[in-house]
């Protein structure tokens, strides 16, 4: 079998050093408007006390930050001191079962009904509260500068360790309201739980939607008036998990079953529609917005779930199936699907991102990572940064990493506060030299290559989701409520 990712094992075979320093080795020129902090979280450590993890989602969460200001760029990286991390550090061995690795005498979380979160998927700043999220479980609050772990975040004790809570909250860019969801995987009464918090993080609404099956979901969409969930037949068998299987081995995909968009009212949480959309799967939403009585639901749609392609580390994506950006247009008068558009880029794209100022609003451009060797059998990894435009489907704006270099980290858009433009940033790992860097691009011309490359002193693994906090924080109007001015007519 061909190896399309030579030396990829080097991304996973070391324990990164924690550090904080001014980045001195910068190739090229950074945009002068950058003033704020970029954060990225992901699995950063793949072994503990002789145990080697077999799945990409297993590693302990490590957050990296780049603080841009007039004094330069400060890089900081630190592992999240989760319950899992602290207990295993103290014991000097692996204690908890992880997403893809089960072992003798491993433990689930305190209540025995799920995994102890490694807090390794995403990191978001909600009004000065920097939160690191795992695939499920409560987030951890970090110091925004030092990245020191402060506490498990319970939203004023309104949530606890049994509250299902995903790694993909959505923050409304106008009001600062914070939404999230979780799946309660009961075999008897599975349900989707939707949460709404105000801009201060106070719980306003918790709404439970019964589900036909305990289906796994990772992300959702938020528009001015709706929340939207892509429900597919990727089911979790809790009995298998309780019997000792890993979460990965307890998940089951049934091809050919109908997938649906579940749409609910954003304010009340009441269900509005469940619309059949084919037989695909969705890991990540791109954006959701309303226009002319239509709800546009933009997702990266996959032919099948991708999690089984995240193993065995380091042999990732050997037989990865294609995926592509899809726009479902829903008529909100009669709740029918009036259009479905696909963009042509299908090289297993993931980690979609757009200008955060366009969340919940009409937009055109977005960015993702892709795997150039998709469709060929053999180990491979993300090696393309793709810029897509809905109004120009054939746009060819792709950056391909040099041979032996791999990309990671959601390609976050860092806005220029004075204009509509900005910069896009992602990670690169140069396997031969075990060297890590961050690449900063002109968002509209990524094929030109990076404007600047920030070279790190020590290697860091390729991580998952990222976010950007402008200096001075967000500009929210706490009293703003969805109204006609939120929706383009
Ligand atoms: Fe994700």
């Amino acid at each position: 079998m061909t190896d399309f990712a030579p030396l990829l094992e080097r991304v996973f075979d070391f324990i990164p050093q924690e550090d904080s320093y001014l980045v001195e080795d910068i190739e090229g020129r950074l945009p002068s408007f950058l003033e704020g902090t970029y954060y990225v979280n992901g699995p950063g450590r793949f072994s503990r006390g002789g145990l080697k993890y077999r799945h990409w989602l297993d590693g302990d969460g490590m957050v990296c930050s780049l603080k841009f200001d007039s004094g330069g760029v400060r890089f900081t990286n630190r592992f999240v001191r989760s319950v899992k991390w602290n207990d295993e550090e103290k014991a000097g061995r692996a204690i908890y079962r992880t997403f893809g690795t089960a072992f003798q005498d491993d433990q689930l979380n305190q209540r025995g009904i799920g995994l102890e979160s490694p807090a390794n998927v995403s990191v978001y700043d909600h009004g000065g509260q920097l939160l690191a999220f795992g695939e499920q479980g409560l987030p951890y609050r970090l110091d925004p500068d030092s990245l020191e772990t402060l506490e498990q975040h319970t939203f004023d004790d309104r949530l606890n360790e049994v509250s299902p809570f995903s790694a993909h909250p959505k923050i409304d860019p106008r009001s600062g309201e914070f939404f999230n969801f979780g799946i309660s995987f009961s075999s008897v009464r599975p349900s989707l739980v939707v949460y709404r918090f105000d801009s201060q993080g106070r719980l306003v609404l918790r709404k439970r939607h019964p589900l036909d099956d305990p289906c796994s979901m990772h992300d959702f969409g938020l528009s001015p008036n709706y929340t939207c969930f892509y429900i597919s037949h990727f089911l979790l068998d809790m009995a298998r998990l309780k019997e000792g299987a890993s979460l990965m081995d307890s998940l089951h995909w049934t091809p050919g079953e109908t997938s649906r968009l579940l749409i609910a009212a954003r304010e009340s949480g009441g269900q509005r529609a469940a619309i059949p959309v084919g037989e695909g799967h969705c890991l990540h939403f791109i954006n959701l917005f309303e226009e002319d009585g239509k709800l546009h639901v933009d997702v990266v749609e996959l032919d099948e779930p991708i999690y089984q392609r995240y193993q065995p580390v380091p042999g990732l994506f050997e037989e990865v199936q294609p995926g592509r950006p899809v726009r479902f247009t829903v008529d909100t008068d009669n709740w029918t699907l009036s259009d479905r558009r696909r963009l042509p880029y299908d090289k297993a794209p993931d980690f979609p991102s757009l200008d955060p100022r366009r969340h919940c609003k009409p937009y055109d451009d977005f960015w993702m990572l892709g795997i150039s060797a998709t469709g060929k059998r053999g180990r491979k990894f993300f090696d393309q940064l793709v810029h897509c435009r809905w109004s120009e489907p054939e746009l060819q704006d792709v950056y391909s990493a040099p041979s032996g270099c791999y990309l990671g980290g959601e390609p976050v858009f860092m806005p220029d506060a004075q204009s509509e433009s900005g910069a896009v940033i992602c990670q690169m790992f140069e396997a031969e030299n075990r060297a890590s860097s961050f690449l900063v691009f002109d968002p509209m011309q990524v094929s030109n290559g990076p404007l600047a490359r920030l070279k790190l002193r020590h290697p860091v693994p390729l991580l998952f989701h990222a976010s950007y906090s402008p200096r001075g924080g967000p500009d929210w109007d706490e009293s703003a409520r969805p109204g006609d001015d939120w929706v383009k007519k």
Side-chain angles (χ1 to χ4, degrees):
M1 197 162 26
T2 311
D3 185 2
F4 297 101
L7 301 179
L8 185 65
E9 60 277 7
R10 293 187 176 185
V11 172
F12 302 97
D13 70 359
F14 65 99
I15 297 174
Q17 184 176 328
E18 295 184 319
D19 211 338
S20 183
Y21 54 87
L22 280 176
V23 180
E24 284 159 353
D25 196 352
I26 301 179
E27 227 174 63
R29 216 180 152 86
L30 277 172
S32 57
F33 61 78
L34 287 175
E35 273 195 303
T37 309
Y38 157 90
Y39 297 102
V40 61
N41 187 12
R45 171 178 178 149
F46 291 88
S47 63
R48 175 71 77 175
L51 178 80
K52 285 194 170 172
Y53 290 138
R54 56 178 274 111
H55 194 282
W56 196 13
L57 266 166
D58 289 346
D60 290 302
M62 188 184 74
V63 175
C64 298
S65 67
L66 288 168
K67 188 172 185 179
F68 298 90
D69 62 27
S70 53
V73 189
R74 172 167 289 274
F75 171 81
T76 302
N77 70 315
R78 206 167 162 82
F79 282 100
V80 182
R81 266 50 173 189
S82 61
V83 168
K84 174 182 181 298
W85 171 280
N86 285 334
D87 287 355
E88 294 186 341
E89 191 76 358
K90 206 164 145 191
R93 63 182 170 86
I95 296 174
Y96 296 102
R97 192 181 313 166
T98 54
F99 190 93
T101 306
F103 53 96
Q104 199 170 10
D105 299 326
D106 61 12
Q107 290 182 26
L108 295 172
N109 63 7
Q110 277 183 18
R111 305 276 182 111
I113 55 163
L115 302 181
E116 191 58 58
S117 172
N120 62 354
V121 175
S122 62
V123 56
Y124 297 100
D125 177 356
H126 185 231
Q129 308 255 47
L130 185 68
L131 302 175
F133 294 78
E135 175 73 7
Q136 49 80 45
L138 291 174
Y140 286 84
R141 190 162 66 84
L142 312 181
D143 181 286
D145 290 317
S146 68
L147 303 182
E148 203 177 317
T149 303
L150 302 174
E151 61 178 359
Q152 212 165 11
H153 194 62
T154 59
F155 297 87
D156 298 327
D157 294 326
R158 300 297 301 275
L159 270 65
N160 59 41
E161 69 266 31
V162 297
S163 310
F165 211 60
S166 90
H168 279 290
K170 296 285 177 284
I171 301 170
D172 188 282
R174 287 188 192 230
S175 65
E177 287 168 291
F178 178 102
F179 292 75
N180 203 358
F181 78 98
I183 303 292
S184 181
F185 288 106
S186 155
S187 55
V188 189
R189 218 162 52 96
S191 57
L192 160 70
V193 184
V194 184
Y195 307 88
R196 177 157 65 93
F197 303 86
D198 67 14
S199 61
Q200 306 296 310
R202 290 175 294 230
L203 183 64
V204 177
L205 181 78
R206 183 183 338 219
K207 178 81 181 176
R208 191 175 283 270
H209 298 266
L211 293 172
D212 292 339
D213 302 293
C215 53
S216 169
M217 247 186 284
H218 179 74
D219 194 5
F220 77 117
L222 176 73
S223 80
N225 291 295
Y226 305 104
T227 53
C228 180
F229 303 84
Y230 189 116
I231 298 176
S232 60
H233 218 75
F234 190 38
L235 307 187
L236 178 66
D237 182 348
M238 277 300 284
R240 282 215 72 194
L241 186 73
K242 285 180 181 165
E243 283 161 15
S246 71
L247 197 77
M248 181 72 252
D249 290 342
S250 307
L251 285 164
H252 181 68
W253 167 249
T254 312
E257 293 282 336
T258 301
S259 302
R260 287 185 169 76
L261 295 182
L262 189 157
I263 299 168
R266 165 175 156 150
E267 291 291 293
S268 68
Q271 185 173 326
R272 291 288 175 268
I275 302 170
V277 287
E279 299 167 2
H281 179 72
C282 167
L283 188 66
H284 290 123
F285 277 66
I286 304 171
N287 199 16
L288 207 65
F289 67 95
E290 296 162 46
E291 197 174 30
D292 302 325
K294 303 274 199 296
L295 174 66
H296 298 286
V297 179
D298 296 350
V299 305
V300 176
E301 193 175 48
L302 307 169
D303 290 356
E304 62 169 29
I306 194 100
Y307 282 162
Q308 61 267 43
R309 309 301 171 197
Y310 284 11
Q311 64 181 18
V313 169
L316 273 64
F317 300 116
E318 275 184 9
E319 295 186 52
V320 71
Q321 297 297 309
R324 77 284 302 162
V326 175
R327 169 167 290 173
F328 297 104
T329 298
V330 175
D331 190 326
T332 54
D333 289 333
N334 54 21
W335 296 109
T336 55
L337 192 65
S338 60
D339 192 24
R340 175 201 307 247
R341 283 185 59 202
R342 293 177 172 172
L343 292 187
Y345 187 91
D346 68 352
K347 297 188 180 303
D350 203 1
F351 302 109
S353 171
L354 69 150
D355 181 340
R357 297 171 293 194
R358 309 308 309 169
H359 285 158
C360 312
K361 300 175 188 170
Y363 72 108
D364 202 12
D365 298 274
F366 63 98
W367 295 265
M368 347 176 256
L369 300 181
I371 302 173
S372 65
T374 298
K376 298 172 186 165
R377 196 152 172 262
R379 178 170 75 161
K380 54 187 91 63
F381 202 76
F382 294 103
D383 56 359
Q384 294 192 324
L385 170 63
V386 192
H387 166 211
C388 291
R389 182 175 289 156
W390 291 103
S391 65
E392 208 179 327
E394 300 301 328
L395 177 74
Q396 300 271 336
D397 188 18
V398 177
Y399 167 75
S400 295
S403 167
C405 292
Y406 307 106
L407 302 180
E410 175 186 334
V412 152
F413 187 102
M414 304 186 289
D416 174 359
Q418 306 303 322
S419 77
E420 293 285 300
S421 68
V424 159
I425 181 168
C426 70
Q427 292 178 274
M428 186 164 83
F429 189 90
E430 194 183 335
E432 190 168 332
N433 300 320
R434 294 180 184 271
S436 287
S437 54
F438 286 93
L439 309 181
V440 178
F441 294 84
D442 173 349
M444 300 301 158
Q445 297 284 342
V446 301
S447 54
N448 285 355
L451 300 168
R453 180 174 172 193
L454 290 76
K455 297 182 180 175
L456 303 186
R457 287 184 189 169
H458 317 290
V460 294
L462 295 169
L463 305 173
F464 288 162
H465 291 289
S467 56
Y468 180 72
S469 300
R471 190 171 71 99
D475 186 18
W476 290 334
D477 175 2
E478 289 173 30
S479 62
R481 279 290 169 275
D484 286 349
D485 62 321
W486 287 39
V487 181
K488 194 177 164 193
K489 297 282 185 198

